[in-house]
Structure formats: structure tokens, C-alpha cells
Amino acid sequence: MYDTSPEPSPRIEVSELAGLELQGLNPVSADDPQIPSGPVLRHTLYSSEASVLSVAADAHYIYAGAQTGQIFVWEKTYLKLKTTLTGHTGSVLTLETYQEKSWLFSASGDSTIRIWSTITLTPLYTIVPHVDSDAGDIFSLTYSPSLSTVYFGCQNTSIQWLDLSQAISPPGTASGSKPFTEGITTPGTPGKRFHKFFDSVPQSQRNIALLATTPMSTRPLSLSSTNNASEFGVPELQVSAENVIPSAHYGYVYCMALSPSHLFDSDPLKEGEDVYLLTGSGDEDVKIWEATRDGLTHKYTFTGCDSGVLSLVVRNRTIYAGCQGGHIKVWDLETKTLIRTLIADSPPENVGTGASADILSLSIIGGVLYACMGNGWCQSWSSNFQSIGFWKAHDGIVLSSVGTLLAGQVESSSTVLFATGGADANIQLWSVEVPSGSRRPQIRAGILKAENDLQAALAEFVGIPSVVNVEACKESCRQAALWLKNLFSQLGAEASLLTADSGINPLVLATFRGNEERKDRPRVLFYGQVCI
């Protein structure tokens, strides 16, 4: 789709700045005063002549997946290269971290997923798609801590997953006892695998043919046998046939997201809350799947994107889908309705030409939506969908992005890093100011028992600027309805949002069942409306 080969750009050696304070630099922006400026560029990391296709971060490192199959690991404190993880033989298309287990997931064009320890920066597992699926490139990946399951989307239009609840780290790896060495390498991509079309053999001989073409060091190991993994090297985990949805889409599964999620500044998982997997594809659809320990169940399909869906993010029960052509579709996860369509601005050099850019990556930090585009520019929108930033981020395609804290920061910090990776082989670190009040404290289920708890809830509710008939407050009205629904649910009601006509705020329906044994109990209807 794109030429992702690196383009010439100024090189900044981070080794020269090691130990020094980060210096604020003015971002590259258009001279037109009517174009809102972007965040401040804090620093640039250079990834050795390789396009940065994916980025991820945790408390200590920033990880960059390259077109060459390498993963560059940068220290956050001094912004110097710690090491390079090698082992993939294809481009590293997506990265994700899970801090509680100190895991880094990497998916590649070599049709494998690798799990690395972020403590020792050593390989833990290699995950291989189902042997008969011919998965091709693995474009998307996400991990659910509550289900201990990793999900990934493939070039062959399938969605596959693997339960990692029994996965244990090999001895001397995650414990940190294994000495750190530069340039950690995993065994190469597993050898030739049986293909049901090109390697036609009798069914009775299939396992024999598979073993004959698979090196001993990469043969599948069950999760129960990983304690003996040292005999074979890095253990390999195989996806079983029942964990595959073939033809989940009618196009490549480019992106996926979980709601709720463990990722930075995401919606936290509440007790008893359902987990949903959202997937986007080149078939112009976004699908919702209910994720349980029994697998995935298709629940709904959003249509009408008019172009391929390349990026997804979910926050506050709101789905954002970045599409080809510079459009971002915004849906309500509760009511399944389209809230609005955001259209990315055109750079000054493209004004009047009709040229548009694909939305290749989406991030949300403090309620602000950040979109990275194929023309090298980024744009941001407030929680009320007002454009608040538009700036030149890279000399080439902006391929990936992630939000993260600075080294030593706490979650309540007002300034965070927005990292973008591009085809110019650079990782740009932008200083992002988190809007005040954007991280309202969550009211946890089961604690609204005392009068002061209800008073605190009321104070939080009236703090939401839900002013009717004001375009700037339209999204706040919907968020207020979602807040009420969650509050009623925590108080024991069966709560839901009722779909309204376009432009009309949703209604909240909460039903308290009480004692079901008494059939003659009168039914009381209470209707409340707030008009400002």
C-alpha cells in the first residue's frame, strides 16, 4: 500500500544527549496562523535506517518495531538505545506491552508472534498461528489480562487467539537471573509448515510430514511442558483449530482494540464487566465480538465506512475508526449509532487539490484524540470533537503512535509523551498537556453506600458540562448519559441507553427489580430531566 522505505532526514544522535535534560524544541508547523499548532517536540530517536512500523512503551522503555524485523529498545531516562531484539524475519507490524507480567508482544510479517521479557529483554515464547490456516502477515494484536488471552488478526482474513493463563516464564528469564547481553536473538522463523493445498499428502501422514519439515528447536510445545523448554530453546505455542475464526472479515484484519483495555489511559476493567473485541478490516467494516473464555461471539457489525479501516481505538464506550481517505468514524458502543464523522485537514501544500491522507494510527490521551496520517501530518481533536492541533510530524508517512508517561512520572501527571514512528526512520517524542478534569476519578462498584459517597457522585455529575442545544457540549451530554447509566448499574439497576433520533441526546433507562417474589408490588416510574 505504501512505500515505507526510509527517507533522508536530519539525524540526532541520542548518545550525545545522554544524561542531559530534555530540551524543548519548536514543532514543525505550517506558517498559516489559522492552522492550530501541535505539541512541543521534546526529542527525536533515530532507528538505524529502518522505517518504524510500530511503537509501544512501558515504565522503563520505548520499543520500536522496524521494517527490517528488528525491535529497538530505548531507555526512557536518558533516551539512549539499550539493545536491539532480533529474531523476526519479517517486518514487525505491531507491538503491545503488558506491564503486570513484564511482557512485550510483537507480531510480524513472518507469520509469528513473539513474547519477550521486558525485565531481561529476552525471548519467552513464539506463538504460531493454526497450521492449516496459512495466516500470512499478522497485522494486528491485543491482549486481554482478564481473560489471559492474546488475539491477533491475519492477512488471510482470520482472527485467532491463544489462552496464556498457564504460560509460565522459563527458568532464569522473567526472574531476572539470566545475565543481560546485547543483541538478544531468538531462533529464526519456524521451518516450512504443511500446507493443505501445496503439500498434499494423505491425512494419515500429515503429522509425519509436518515433523519432517519442522526443526527440532521449533517444534510445538504444550503449555504444560514449558518447564523443559531449555532442551529445545525458546518454546513454541501452537494455536488450535477451535481458536480460529476463518473469514472473520472479507479483507485483511488491519486493526483491533479491546473494551475495556489495560493500555495507557484506557477504560479500566470493572468487576463483572463484559469484554468486547473490536476489529477493523479492508472490507470497510468494524465488527464487535464478545470475548469470553469460551472464545469469540459476533455481536454487531458497523458498516458505512466507505473505505478500509486501518486503525481503531475505544474510550468511554466510544469507538473511533480511522479510515482510508482521511475519515474517522465515531460510534456509540452502547446504542450502536454513528455519532459523527471527523475529516482530517489537508496540509497547506494540498489545499484545493482534493488530496487526502489515510488515518494509519489513533491514540487518545486525556480525552484528546490524536490521528497520524499517511502524509506525515498529525491532527488532534478535543473530547467535544473540536480540532485543536494540526502539525507536520515526520518527513514521510506517520505509521504508528502511542501515549506514555515520562520516566519517573505518576499517572496523575499533567504532561505525558506522545510517541510517533514514521517512514523517515525517526521516533518523535512530543510533549502533550493533559486537559484538566479529563481524568475524572472512576466511581467503583459497591462503594456508594454512605451519604457522602452519593454527594461526591452528584458533585462529579454536575461537573460534566452537559448543556443542551450547544454544539460544543453535545459530546458532554452523551458522556453524562453514559455516566448516569454506569451509576445506576453500580446501584443495582438494569441500566441501558435508549437510541434517539440524530441530534437528540440519548435517554437513560434504569430498572430496579426489587424483590421478585412479590408479584403484586406496584411499579413506580420516575422521570427526570435536566435543562440548562
mmCIF file of all heavy atoms in Angstrom, residues 22 39-45 55 57-59 61-62 75-77 79 264-265 363-366 370 401-409 413-420 427-434 439:
data_model
loop_
_atom_site.group_PDB
_atom_site.id
_atom_site.type_symbol
_atom_site.label_atom_id
_atom_site.label_comp_id
_atom_site.label_asym_id
_atom_site.label_seq_id
_atom_site.Cartn_x
_atom_site.Cartn_y
_atom_site.Cartn_z
ATOM 1 N N LEU A 22 16.030 17.022 28.919
ATOM 2 C CA LEU A 22 15.388 17.137 27.627
ATOM 3 C C LEU A 22 15.186 18.606 27.297
ATOM 4 O O LEU A 22 14.749 19.393 28.136
ATOM 5 C CB LEU A 22 14.030 16.423 27.647
ATOM 6 C CG LEU A 22 14.082 14.906 27.838
ATOM 7 C CD1 LEU A 22 12.672 14.365 27.923
ATOM 8 C CD2 LEU A 22 14.832 14.259 26.716
ATOM 9 N N PRO A 39 1.768 19.899 19.518
ATOM 10 C CA PRO A 39 2.524 19.873 20.772
ATOM 11 C C PRO A 39 3.995 20.172 20.540
ATOM 12 O O PRO A 39 4.484 20.225 19.412
ATOM 13 C CB PRO A 39 2.306 18.441 21.269
ATOM 14 C CG PRO A 39 2.042 17.652 20.029
ATOM 15 C CD PRO A 39 1.315 18.566 19.103
ATOM 16 N N VAL A 40 4.723 20.337 21.623
ATOM 17 C CA VAL A 40 6.160 20.639 21.568
ATOM 18 C C VAL A 40 6.949 19.354 21.343
ATOM 19 O O VAL A 40 6.724 18.340 21.997
ATOM 20 C CB VAL A 40 6.617 21.315 22.875
ATOM 21 C CG1 VAL A 40 8.128 21.526 22.873
ATOM 22 C CG2 VAL A 40 5.896 22.641 23.056
ATOM 23 N N LEU A 41 7.861 19.400 20.399
ATOM 24 C CA LEU A 41 8.742 18.265 20.144
ATOM 25 C C LEU A 41 9.833 18.229 21.201
ATOM 26 O O LEU A 41 10.650 19.152 21.306
ATOM 27 C CB LEU A 41 9.354 18.374 18.744
ATOM 28 C CG LEU A 41 10.332 17.265 18.338
ATOM 29 C CD1 LEU A 41 9.623 15.921 18.280
ATOM 30 C CD2 LEU A 41 10.972 17.590 16.994
ATOM 31 N N ARG A 42 9.876 17.147 21.977
ATOM 32 C CA ARG A 42 10.863 17.030 23.049
ATOM 33 C C ARG A 42 12.163 16.393 22.583
ATOM 34 O O ARG A 42 13.253 16.789 22.992
ATOM 35 C CB ARG A 42 10.281 16.179 24.196
ATOM 36 C CG ARG A 42 9.063 16.764 24.861
ATOM 37 C CD ARG A 42 9.375 18.051 25.614
ATOM 38 N NE ARG A 42 10.302 17.826 26.701
ATOM 39 C CZ ARG A 42 9.935 17.541 27.958
ATOM 40 N NH1 ARG A 42 8.656 17.410 28.258
ATOM 41 N NH2 ARG A 42 10.836 17.375 28.891
ATOM 42 N N HIS A 43 12.062 15.406 21.705
ATOM 43 C CA HIS A 43 13.281 14.697 21.309
ATOM 44 C C HIS A 43 12.991 13.822 20.095
ATOM 45 O O HIS A 43 11.838 13.503 19.799
ATOM 46 C CB HIS A 43 13.791 13.828 22.461
ATOM 47 C CG HIS A 43 15.232 13.424 22.316
ATOM 48 N ND1 HIS A 43 16.271 14.317 22.303
ATOM 49 C CD2 HIS A 43 15.794 12.204 22.148
ATOM 50 C CE1 HIS A 43 17.412 13.676 22.156
ATOM 51 N NE2 HIS A 43 17.143 12.391 22.054
ATOM 52 N N THR A 44 14.051 13.447 19.387
ATOM 53 C CA THR A 44 13.946 12.558 18.236
ATOM 54 C C THR A 44 14.883 11.377 18.428
ATOM 55 O O THR A 44 16.065 11.564 18.731
ATOM 56 C CB THR A 44 14.296 13.294 16.925
ATOM 57 O OG1 THR A 44 13.374 14.358 16.708
ATOM 58 C CG2 THR A 44 14.245 12.346 15.739
ATOM 59 N N LEU A 45 14.347 10.169 18.256
ATOM 60 C CA LEU A 45 15.142 8.949 18.293
ATOM 61 C C LEU A 45 15.295 8.437 16.877
ATOM 62 O O LEU A 45 14.320 8.408 16.111
ATOM 63 C CB LEU A 45 14.469 7.882 19.166
ATOM 64 C CG LEU A 45 14.105 8.294 20.600
ATOM 65 C CD1 LEU A 45 13.367 7.157 21.297
ATOM 66 C CD2 LEU A 45 15.340 8.692 21.377
ATOM 67 N N VAL A 55 5.116 1.103 17.527
ATOM 68 C CA VAL A 55 5.749 1.583 18.754
ATOM 69 C C VAL A 55 4.919 1.138 19.951
ATOM 70 O O VAL A 55 3.705 0.975 19.863
ATOM 71 C CB VAL A 55 5.909 3.125 18.768
ATOM 72 C CG1 VAL A 55 6.932 3.577 17.765
ATOM 73 C CG2 VAL A 55 4.574 3.810 18.522
ATOM 74 N N ALA A 57 5.341 1.200 24.659
ATOM 75 C CA ALA A 57 6.123 1.755 25.773
ATOM 76 C C ALA A 57 5.635 1.172 27.088
ATOM 77 O O ALA A 57 4.478 0.758 27.223
ATOM 78 C CB ALA A 57 6.015 3.282 25.791
ATOM 79 N N ASP A 58 6.533 1.138 28.060
ATOM 80 C CA ASP A 58 6.172 0.800 29.430
ATOM 81 C C ASP A 58 6.865 1.787 30.360
ATOM 82 O O ASP A 58 7.281 2.865 29.926
ATOM 83 C CB ASP A 58 6.513 -0.659 29.760
ATOM 84 C CG ASP A 58 7.993 -0.985 29.569
ATOM 85 O OD1 ASP A 58 8.825 -0.043 29.539
ATOM 86 O OD2 ASP A 58 8.334 -2.179 29.460
ATOM 87 N N ALA A 59 7.008 1.439 31.625
ATOM 88 C CA ALA A 59 7.559 2.385 32.596
ATOM 89 C C ALA A 59 9.031 2.687 32.356
ATOM 90 O O ALA A 59 9.520 3.746 32.760
ATOM 91 C CB ALA A 59 7.366 1.849 34.014
ATOM 92 N N TYR A 61 10.972 1.597 29.141
ATOM 93 C CA TYR A 61 11.487 1.583 27.781
ATOM 94 C C TYR A 61 10.454 2.064 26.766
ATOM 95 O O TYR A 61 9.245 2.029 27.014
ATOM 96 C CB TYR A 61 11.935 0.166 27.379
ATOM 97 C CG TYR A 61 13.004 -0.434 28.261
ATOM 98 C CD1 TYR A 61 12.715 -1.516 29.086
ATOM 99 C CD2 TYR A 61 14.296 0.075 28.265
ATOM 100 C CE1 TYR A 61 13.691 -2.078 29.896
ATOM 101 C CE2 TYR A 61 15.282 -0.480 29.071
ATOM 102 C CZ TYR A 61 14.974 -1.560 29.882
ATOM 103 O OH TYR A 61 15.940 -2.103 30.685
ATOM 104 N N ILE A 62 10.975 2.488 25.628
ATOM 105 C CA ILE A 62 10.180 2.717 24.428
ATOM 106 C C ILE A 62 10.645 1.705 23.392
ATOM 107 O O ILE A 62 11.845 1.559 23.140
ATOM 108 C CB ILE A 62 10.358 4.147 23.892
ATOM 109 C CG1 ILE A 62 9.839 5.169 24.914
ATOM 110 C CG2 ILE A 62 9.643 4.332 22.553
ATOM 111 C CD1 ILE A 62 10.129 6.601 24.539
ATOM 112 N N GLU A 75 15.984 3.390 26.351
ATOM 113 C CA GLU A 75 15.766 3.761 27.747
ATOM 114 C C GLU A 75 15.009 5.082 27.825
ATOM 115 O O GLU A 75 15.285 6.011 27.080
ATOM 116 C CB GLU A 75 17.106 3.902 28.475
ATOM 117 C CG GLU A 75 17.805 2.597 28.751
ATOM 118 C CD GLU A 75 19.085 2.828 29.552
ATOM 119 O OE1 GLU A 75 19.601 3.960 29.511
ATOM 120 O OE2 GLU A 75 19.544 1.889 30.209
ATOM 121 N N LYS A 76 14.068 5.147 28.740
ATOM 122 C CA LYS A 76 13.305 6.388 28.896
ATOM 123 C C LYS A 76 14.104 7.464 29.625
ATOM 124 O O LYS A 76 13.955 8.653 29.333
ATOM 125 C CB LYS A 76 12.008 6.114 29.670
ATOM 126 C CG LYS A 76 10.830 5.729 28.809
ATOM 127 C CD LYS A 76 9.571 5.712 29.654
ATOM 128 C CE LYS A 76 8.345 5.455 28.812
ATOM 129 N NZ LYS A 76 7.116 5.471 29.623
ATOM 130 N N THR A 77 14.922 7.058 30.573
ATOM 131 C CA THR A 77 15.594 8.037 31.425
ATOM 132 C C THR A 77 16.558 8.904 30.628
ATOM 133 O O THR A 77 16.509 10.135 30.695
ATOM 134 C CB THR A 77 16.337 7.335 32.569
ATOM 135 O OG1 THR A 77 15.424 6.520 33.302
ATOM 136 C CG2 THR A 77 16.967 8.358 33.498
ATOM 137 N N LEU A 79 17.163 8.311 27.181
ATOM 138 C CA LEU A 79 16.832 8.242 25.758
ATOM 139 C C LEU A 79 18.012 7.730 24.922
ATOM 140 O O LEU A 79 18.356 8.280 23.893
ATOM 141 C CB LEU A 79 16.371 9.616 25.248
ATOM 142 C CG LEU A 79 15.087 10.148 25.880
ATOM 143 C CD1 LEU A 79 14.739 11.506 25.307
ATOM 144 C CD2 LEU A 79 13.942 9.166 25.685
ATOM 145 N N PHE A 264 -2.445 2.280 28.028
ATOM 146 C CA PHE A 264 -2.277 3.584 28.666
ATOM 147 C C PHE A 264 -3.532 4.441 28.514
ATOM 148 O O PHE A 264 -4.075 4.588 27.415
ATOM 149 C CB PHE A 264 -1.075 4.304 28.051
ATOM 150 C CG PHE A 264 -0.849 5.697 28.576
ATOM 151 C CD1 PHE A 264 -0.283 5.904 29.822
ATOM 152 C CD2 PHE A 264 -1.219 6.798 27.826
ATOM 153 C CE1 PHE A 264 -0.083 7.174 30.309
ATOM 154 C CE2 PHE A 264 -1.014 8.081 28.294
ATOM 155 C CZ PHE A 264 -0.447 8.273 29.544
ATOM 156 N N ASP A 265 -4.006 5.004 29.632
ATOM 157 C CA ASP A 265 -5.135 5.937 29.664
ATOM 158 C C ASP A 265 -6.402 5.324 29.076
ATOM 159 O O ASP A 265 -7.221 6.016 28.477
ATOM 160 C CB ASP A 265 -4.783 7.220 28.919
ATOM 161 C CG ASP A 265 -5.556 8.427 29.454
ATOM 162 O OD1 ASP A 265 -6.102 8.342 30.560
ATOM 163 O OD2 ASP A 265 -5.618 9.448 28.750
ATOM 164 N N SER A 363 -4.622 7.460 18.718
ATOM 165 C CA SER A 363 -4.341 7.386 20.152
ATOM 166 C C SER A 363 -5.234 8.383 20.869
ATOM 167 O O SER A 363 -5.612 9.416 20.293
ATOM 168 C CB SER A 363 -2.870 7.705 20.460
ATOM 169 O OG SER A 363 -2.004 6.753 19.880
ATOM 170 N N ILE A 364 -5.578 8.084 22.116
ATOM 171 C CA ILE A 364 -6.337 9.016 22.952
ATOM 172 C C ILE A 364 -5.567 9.226 24.243
ATOM 173 O O ILE A 364 -5.211 8.268 24.942
ATOM 174 C CB ILE A 364 -7.753 8.491 23.246
ATOM 175 C CG1 ILE A 364 -8.571 8.455 21.954
ATOM 176 C CG2 ILE A 364 -8.441 9.368 24.274
ATOM 177 C CD1 ILE A 364 -10.012 8.025 22.151
ATOM 178 N N ILE A 365 -5.294 10.489 24.551
ATOM 179 C CA ILE A 365 -4.560 10.858 25.761
ATOM 180 C C ILE A 365 -5.348 11.960 26.454
ATOM 181 O O ILE A 365 -5.552 13.039 25.886
ATOM 182 C CB ILE A 365 -3.141 11.349 25.439
ATOM 183 C CG1 ILE A 365 -2.364 10.282 24.656
ATOM 184 C CG2 ILE A 365 -2.398 11.722 26.718
ATOM 185 C CD1 ILE A 365 -1.005 10.744 24.183
ATOM 186 N N GLY A 366 -5.805 11.687 27.661
ATOM 187 C CA GLY A 366 -6.546 12.691 28.409
ATOM 188 C C GLY A 366 -7.805 13.163 27.708
ATOM 189 O O GLY A 366 -8.172 14.331 27.809
ATOM 190 N N TYR A 370 -5.796 11.761 18.913
ATOM 191 C CA TYR A 370 -4.662 12.068 18.036
ATOM 192 C C TYR A 370 -4.689 11.108 16.854
ATOM 193 O O TYR A 370 -4.769 9.886 17.038
ATOM 194 C CB TYR A 370 -3.341 11.930 18.783
ATOM 195 C CG TYR A 370 -3.157 12.950 19.885
ATOM 196 C CD1 TYR A 370 -3.634 12.697 21.173
ATOM 197 C CD2 TYR A 370 -2.513 14.156 19.647
ATOM 198 C CE1 TYR A 370 -3.480 13.629 22.193
ATOM 199 C CE2 TYR A 370 -2.352 15.094 20.661
ATOM 200 C CZ TYR A 370 -2.837 14.827 21.923
ATOM 201 O OH TYR A 370 -2.685 15.752 22.928
ATOM 202 N N SER A 401 1.821 5.185 16.642
ATOM 203 C CA SER A 401 1.835 6.146 17.752
ATOM 204 C C SER A 401 1.460 5.436 19.043
ATOM 205 O O SER A 401 0.815 4.383 19.031
ATOM 206 C CB SER A 401 0.859 7.305 17.487
ATOM 207 O OG SER A 401 -0.488 6.837 17.453
ATOM 208 N N VAL A 402 1.849 6.056 20.165
ATOM 209 C CA VAL A 402 1.484 5.540 21.480
ATOM 210 C C VAL A 402 1.657 6.656 22.499
ATOM 211 O O VAL A 402 2.521 7.534 22.348
ATOM 212 C CB VAL A 402 2.363 4.314 21.860
ATOM 213 C CG1 VAL A 402 3.813 4.731 22.116
ATOM 214 C CG2 VAL A 402 1.802 3.583 23.067
ATOM 215 N N GLY A 403 0.823 6.658 23.527
ATOM 216 C CA GLY A 403 0.968 7.580 24.640
ATOM 217 C C GLY A 403 1.658 6.896 25.798
ATOM 218 O O GLY A 403 1.452 5.707 26.044
ATOM 219 N N THR A 404 2.501 7.629 26.526
ATOM 220 C CA THR A 404 3.228 7.045 27.649
ATOM 221 C C THR A 404 3.665 8.144 28.597
ATOM 222 O O THR A 404 3.696 9.326 28.235
ATOM 223 C CB THR A 404 4.453 6.249 27.156
ATOM 224 O OG1 THR A 404 5.095 5.622 28.269
ATOM 225 C CG2 THR A 404 5.457 7.167 26.454
ATOM 226 N N LEU A 405 4.003 7.753 29.813
ATOM 227 C CA LEU A 405 4.499 8.702 30.801
ATOM 228 C C LEU A 405 5.997 8.900 30.647
ATOM 229 O O LEU A 405 6.712 8.013 30.165
ATOM 230 C CB LEU A 405 4.194 8.201 32.219
ATOM 231 C CG LEU A 405 2.723 8.069 32.613
ATOM 232 C CD1 LEU A 405 2.599 7.408 33.984
ATOM 233 C CD2 LEU A 405 2.036 9.426 32.623
ATOM 234 N N LEU A 406 6.477 10.057 31.051
ATOM 235 C CA LEU A 406 7.908 10.282 31.126
ATOM 236 C C LEU A 406 8.508 9.422 32.236
ATOM 237 O O LEU A 406 7.792 8.937 33.121
ATOM 238 C CB LEU A 406 8.198 11.758 31.403
ATOM 239 C CG LEU A 406 7.831 12.757 30.291
ATOM 240 C CD1 LEU A 406 7.844 14.168 30.841
ATOM 241 C CD2 LEU A 406 8.788 12.635 29.129
ATOM 242 N N ALA A 407 9.795 9.201 32.186
ATOM 243 C CA ALA A 407 10.460 8.393 33.204
ATOM 244 C C ALA A 407 10.240 9.000 34.584
ATOM 245 O O ALA A 407 10.470 10.185 34.802
ATOM 246 C CB ALA A 407 11.957 8.299 32.914
ATOM 247 N N GLY A 408 9.754 8.171 35.511
ATOM 248 C CA GLY A 408 9.543 8.625 36.880
ATOM 249 C C GLY A 408 8.232 9.342 37.127
ATOM 250 O O GLY A 408 7.956 9.737 38.268
ATOM 251 N N GLN A 409 7.396 9.508 36.105
ATOM 252 C CA GLN A 409 6.128 10.203 36.280
ATOM 253 C C GLN A 409 5.082 9.289 36.900
ATOM 254 O O GLN A 409 5.167 8.067 36.832
ATOM 255 C CB GLN A 409 5.596 10.716 34.946
ATOM 256 C CG GLN A 409 6.135 12.069 34.516
ATOM 257 C CD GLN A 409 5.391 12.590 33.307
ATOM 258 O OE1 GLN A 409 5.080 11.844 32.389
ATOM 259 N NE2 GLN A 409 5.119 13.874 33.289
ATOM 260 N N SER A 413 0.064 12.913 36.330
ATOM 261 C CA SER A 413 0.868 13.997 35.766
ATOM 262 C C SER A 413 0.091 14.732 34.685
ATOM 263 O O SER A 413 -0.705 14.147 33.945
ATOM 264 C CB SER A 413 2.171 13.434 35.183
ATOM 265 O OG SER A 413 2.926 12.774 36.181
ATOM 266 N N SER A 414 0.357 16.025 34.577
ATOM 267 C CA SER A 414 -0.348 16.847 33.602
ATOM 268 C C SER A 414 0.334 16.856 32.240
ATOM 269 O O SER A 414 -0.243 17.349 31.270
ATOM 270 C CB SER A 414 -0.449 18.286 34.116
ATOM 271 O OG SER A 414 0.845 18.833 34.334
ATOM 272 N N THR A 415 1.540 16.315 32.146
ATOM 273 C CA THR A 415 2.273 16.261 30.883
ATOM 274 C C THR A 415 2.724 14.830 30.617
ATOM 275 O O THR A 415 3.308 14.187 31.484
ATOM 276 C CB THR A 415 3.505 17.186 30.914
ATOM 277 O OG1 THR A 415 3.093 18.514 31.206
ATOM 278 C CG2 THR A 415 4.209 17.168 29.557
ATOM 279 N N VAL A 416 2.437 14.336 29.432
ATOM 280 C CA VAL A 416 2.840 12.986 29.044
ATOM 281 C C VAL A 416 3.510 13.039 27.677
ATOM 282 O O VAL A 416 3.512 14.086 27.015
ATOM 283 C CB VAL A 416 1.631 12.020 29.012
ATOM 284 C CG1 VAL A 416 0.980 11.918 30.365
ATOM 285 C CG2 VAL A 416 0.617 12.473 27.971
ATOM 286 N N LEU A 417 4.073 11.916 27.264
ATOM 287 C CA LEU A 417 4.722 11.811 25.961
ATOM 288 C C LEU A 417 3.771 11.186 24.945
ATOM 289 O O LEU A 417 3.067 10.220 25.246
ATOM 290 C CB LEU A 417 5.984 10.957 26.048
ATOM 291 C CG LEU A 417 7.263 11.608 26.570
ATOM 292 C CD1 LEU A 417 8.395 10.588 26.540
ATOM 293 C CD2 LEU A 417 7.631 12.839 25.780
ATOM 294 N N PHE A 418 3.771 11.736 23.761
ATOM 295 C CA PHE A 418 3.082 11.155 22.614
ATOM 296 C C PHE A 418 4.164 10.789 21.606
ATOM 297 O O PHE A 418 4.815 11.664 21.025
ATOM 298 C CB PHE A 418 2.084 12.145 22.034
ATOM 299 C CG PHE A 418 1.400 11.679 20.786
ATOM 300 C CD1 PHE A 418 0.728 10.468 20.748
ATOM 301 C CD2 PHE A 418 1.418 12.459 19.625
ATOM 302 C CE1 PHE A 418 0.084 10.032 19.597
ATOM 303 C CE2 PHE A 418 0.781 12.037 18.470
ATOM 304 C CZ PHE A 418 0.107 10.820 18.459
ATOM 305 N N ALA A 419 4.398 9.479 21.433
ATOM 306 C CA ALA A 419 5.472 8.998 20.567
ATOM 307 C C ALA A 419 4.902 8.581 19.222
ATOM 308 O O ALA A 419 3.912 7.842 19.161
ATOM 309 C CB ALA A 419 6.196 7.819 21.218
ATOM 310 N N THR A 420 5.535 9.055 18.133
ATOM 311 C CA THR A 420 5.116 8.703 16.783
ATOM 312 C C THR A 420 6.291 8.104 16.021
ATOM 313 O O THR A 420 7.429 8.544 16.167
ATOM 314 C CB THR A 420 4.587 9.929 16.019
ATOM 315 O OG1 THR A 420 5.614 10.932 15.939
ATOM 316 C CG2 THR A 420 3.367 10.515 16.712
ATOM 317 N N ILE A 427 11.662 8.282 15.529
ATOM 318 C CA ILE A 427 10.620 8.267 16.553
ATOM 319 C C ILE A 427 10.591 9.652 17.171
ATOM 320 O O ILE A 427 11.575 10.086 17.779
ATOM 321 C CB ILE A 427 10.891 7.210 17.638
ATOM 322 C CG1 ILE A 427 11.093 5.834 17.022
ATOM 323 C CG2 ILE A 427 9.764 7.186 18.660
ATOM 324 C CD1 ILE A 427 11.636 4.819 17.986
ATOM 325 N N GLN A 428 9.487 10.355 17.006
ATOM 326 C CA GLN A 428 9.350 11.702 17.552
ATOM 327 C C GLN A 428 8.632 11.628 18.896
ATOM 328 O O GLN A 428 7.596 10.970 19.023
ATOM 329 C CB GLN A 428 8.556 12.587 16.590
ATOM 330 C CG GLN A 428 9.111 12.635 15.161
ATOM 331 C CD GLN A 428 10.302 13.566 15.030
ATOM 332 O OE1 GLN A 428 11.192 13.563 15.870
ATOM 333 N NE2 GLN A 428 10.318 14.355 13.968
ATOM 334 N N LEU A 429 9.184 12.314 19.892
ATOM 335 C CA LEU A 429 8.604 12.353 21.225
ATOM 336 C C LEU A 429 8.026 13.746 21.450
ATOM 337 O O LEU A 429 8.764 14.730 21.542
ATOM 338 C CB LEU A 429 9.657 12.022 22.286
ATOM 339 C CG LEU A 429 10.382 10.675 22.108
ATOM 340 C CD1 LEU A 429 11.376 10.465 23.238
ATOM 341 C CD2 LEU A 429 9.387 9.516 22.041
ATOM 342 N N TRP A 430 6.706 13.821 21.535
ATOM 343 C CA TRP A 430 6.003 15.091 21.684
ATOM 344 C C TRP A 430 5.507 15.252 23.109
ATOM 345 O O TRP A 430 5.000 14.300 23.717
ATOM 346 C CB TRP A 430 4.820 15.156 20.716
ATOM 347 C CG TRP A 430 5.168 14.852 19.293
ATOM 348 C CD1 TRP A 430 5.149 13.621 18.693
ATOM 349 C CD2 TRP A 430 5.607 15.773 18.292
ATOM 350 N NE1 TRP A 430 5.551 13.718 17.392
ATOM 351 C CE2 TRP A 430 5.832 15.032 17.102
ATOM 352 C CE3 TRP A 430 5.817 17.151 18.269
ATOM 353 C CZ2 TRP A 430 6.254 15.608 15.915
ATOM 354 C CZ3 TRP A 430 6.241 17.737 17.090
ATOM 355 C CH2 TRP A 430 6.454 16.981 15.934
ATOM 356 N N SER A 431 5.634 16.452 23.638
ATOM 357 C CA SER A 431 5.156 16.763 24.983
ATOM 358 C C SER A 431 3.687 17.179 24.897
ATOM 359 O O SER A 431 3.357 18.182 24.261
ATOM 360 C CB SER A 431 5.990 17.890 25.602
ATOM 361 O OG SER A 431 5.523 18.212 26.895
ATOM 362 N N VAL A 432 2.804 16.404 25.524
ATOM 363 C CA VAL A 432 1.362 16.620 25.434
ATOM 364 C C VAL A 432 0.836 17.041 26.798
ATOM 365 O O VAL A 432 1.091 16.379 27.804
ATOM 366 C CB VAL A 432 0.652 15.336 24.954
ATOM 367 C CG1 VAL A 432 -0.851 15.482 25.072
ATOM 368 C CG2 VAL A 432 1.048 15.027 23.522
ATOM 369 N N GLU A 433 0.103 18.144 26.816
ATOM 370 C CA GLU A 433 -0.542 18.610 28.039
ATOM 371 C C GLU A 433 -1.901 17.943 28.179
ATOM 372 O O GLU A 433 -2.735 18.013 27.272
ATOM 373 C CB GLU A 433 -0.701 20.132 28.012
ATOM 374 C CG GLU A 433 0.613 20.903 27.978
ATOM 375 C CD GLU A 433 1.423 20.715 29.248
ATOM 376 O OE1 GLU A 433 0.796 20.537 30.324
ATOM 377 O OE2 GLU A 433 2.661 20.735 29.174
ATOM 378 N N VAL A 434 -2.126 17.289 29.316
ATOM 379 C CA VAL A 434 -3.399 16.629 29.562
ATOM 380 C C VAL A 434 -4.391 17.662 30.080
ATOM 381 O O VAL A 434 -4.124 18.349 31.078
ATOM 382 C CB VAL A 434 -3.239 15.494 30.588
ATOM 383 C CG1 VAL A 434 -4.580 14.836 30.870
ATOM 384 C CG2 VAL A 434 -2.233 14.479 30.085
ATOM 385 N N ARG A 439 -9.354 13.450 33.365
ATOM 386 C CA ARG A 439 -9.256 12.145 34.020
ATOM 387 C C ARG A 439 -10.079 12.173 35.298
ATOM 388 O O ARG A 439 -9.561 12.189 36.406
ATOM 389 C CB ARG A 439 -7.796 11.813 34.335
ATOM 390 C CG ARG A 439 -6.944 11.613 33.093
ATOM 391 C CD ARG A 439 -5.510 11.334 33.475
ATOM 392 N NE ARG A 439 -4.689 11.042 32.307
ATOM 393 C CZ ARG A 439 -3.380 10.873 32.353
ATOM 394 N NH1 ARG A 439 -2.735 10.966 33.505
ATOM 395 N NH2 ARG A 439 -2.701 10.605 31.263
#
